[in-house]
Amino acid sequence: MIITDLEPKEVWRYFAEICSVPRGSGNEAGIRNHIIGFAKEHGFEYKVDAVGNLIMRKDGIGKSIVLQGHLDMVCEKNSDTIHDFRKDPIEVIIEGDTVKAKGTTLGGDDGIGLAIAMALFTDPDVTCPLEALFTVEEETGLTGAIGLKPNMLHSDTMINLDSEDDEEIIIGCAGGIDTSLWLEIERDKPDFTPFGIHLKFSGFAGGHSGEDIDKPRANANKLLAEFLQNLNIDYRIAKIKGGGLRNAIPREAEATIVVPWEDKESVRVAWNIYESELETRWKAYEPDMIMTLKSVEVTEDAYTKCLTEKIVNLLCEVPHGPIEFRKKKPIMVDVSTNLAFIRDDYGKILIGTSQRSANLGKRDAISNKISEIGAKYGAVITHSSGYPGWEPKENSALLNTAVKTYKELFGSEPKVKTIHAGLECGLFSKSYPDMDMISIGPKILGIHSPAETLYIETVKKCWLFTKTLCQALQ
């Protein structure tokens, strides 16, 4: 069976087409042009705004509704997977009652949302006016949502199709900010006879830095730094990298170090002991984790002893994970930070972190704490502009109709909640303060990682819910 055989066929056909078009953040032109071709084929009005968002309209009778999703996807792959996200299509596979990708992220976030919206535009039973807002660079900075002008949309009701649980209706989310620590690269020739060793952590679950931050997930950057900090010999880092994206928990980290020739066996012994400790500490939660150590050719030089210590101590001291939980029920993360990546960027060492909270004061407080830690080690600090949380409207007309529709369709009460992840709705509410919004979607687990899994039956459920809700709002 292939995914175009699945029901509802129109949704899965559009999703298959979307998966065939590369659409990493900043590379949305191809998928935007593909959907423009769809609009032309069906005679829908469309426009592209100054930042690259695509707005599409369909005439009808009754209340106009915005269907909203984002064009881009998170591009993450396993280290042994050969895939160029700039030009290769996603290789989609069916496993039982789920859809996945072969060794990469699937892009169900938010490709399936786009597919549902496109199918609704062509469904003859949906007779109300529709607008589609498909934004750019949601995954890397909410560029499209930030740049959306107040006069672009004509509707006052929005269904965001970027959530990942078919039993939930989302009405609020956290805001976020990125804090970056930059270190000047200093290299010299070690004053010992060097032996080269490559260390690598891989196979960790990773996941979304908002939705999964309170789950027992190991941060590969932290484990690498922890091992190096406890390595009681003279050593220097020659190369280091870990993690990928600010909104993904790091699944992999690696470093090449040089050590005195006479200490090479001490490193192997320490590695074996640490591997055993991690088995005890993490194997129940990270069954696929892999630790590898191998000898490599030495480089002429390496980071200075001072820079090596700064990198390791910074990675150990910068916090990662939940910082504070909300006191009222349901208990959920209120403040968090993700130690997302380390890499050589433009000839400097860049350590990237991201902070989240619905309370912007608390969000900025943890960002400032990380800045203070970075400054202690001589790092240059930069911040993103940040984005606001989405304040819930707990008794809105849209929410009341959505809850009623869900109960009538499925015979159960949906979970109405706010989430710790970020959604574009917070930014939309600034430009469109009167917009009534909810966020829904099918069940997707493991987003922002190659473990991303889309549950087939919940796509059908979300499709039916969205279609019936559009009809019920008339």
Side-chain angles (χ1 to χ4, degrees), residues 212-343:
D212 298 321
I213 200 70
D214 59 337
K215 295 180 174 64
R217 305 278 174 88
N219 182 317
N221 293 334
K222 280 287 190 183
L223 298 185
L224 174 61
E226 181 181 73
F227 173 76
L228 292 174
Q229 191 176 59
N230 292 318
L231 193 58
N232 295 318
I233 62 168
D234 192 7
Y235 70 92
R236 310 292 171 81
I237 296 173
K239 296 178 182 178
I240 187 169
K241 66 177 181 179
L245 300 173
R246 294 182 185 273
N247 53 7
I249 299 168
R251 299 179 299 107
E252 299 182 348
E254 58 188 296
T256 299
I257 62 173
V258 292
V259 304
W261 185 273
E262 61 270 21
D263 289 326
K264 61 182 186 296
E265 290 307 319
S266 298
V267 178
R268 294 183 188 277
V269 171
W271 183 259
N272 290 337
I273 292 172
Y274 190 63
E275 185 173 15
S276 178
E277 291 174 356
L278 290 190
E279 286 273 342
T280 301
R281 197 194 321 172
W282 282 108
K283 196 64 174 179
Y285 309 109
E286 298 282 7
D288 299 320
M289 69 177 187
I290 301 170
M291 293 176 60
T292 56
L293 177 151
K294 64 180 181 180
S295 304
V296 294
E297 290 186 9
V298 298
T299 56
E300 284 292 320
D301 58 6
Y303 298 157
T304 62
K305 183 176 180 63
C306 180
L307 178 57
T308 294
E309 290 175 349
K310 283 181 179 180
I311 291 170
V312 172
N313 291 334
L314 253 177
L315 290 175
C316 286
E317 193 168 342
V318 168
H320 170 83
I323 302 299
E324 183 179 329
F325 286 85
R326 192 173 67 170
K327 293 180 174 62
K328 65 179 182 179
K329 292 184 177 180
I331 303 299
M332 61 178 288
V333 180
D334 190 29
V335 186
S336 74
T337 183
N338 179 40
L339 176 54
F341 60 78
I342 178 171
R343 61 177 180 244

Side-chain angles (χ1 to χ4, degrees), residues 13 44-46 101 125 145 147 278 281 302 309 320 324 347 349 396 437 457 459:
R13 178 167 70 86
F44 302 137
E45 178 188 349
Y46 71 91
D125 296 332
L278 290 190
R281 197 194 321 172
E309 290 175 349
H320 170 83
E324 183 179 329
I349 296 296
S396 76
M437 296 180 285
E457 280 302 311
V459 172

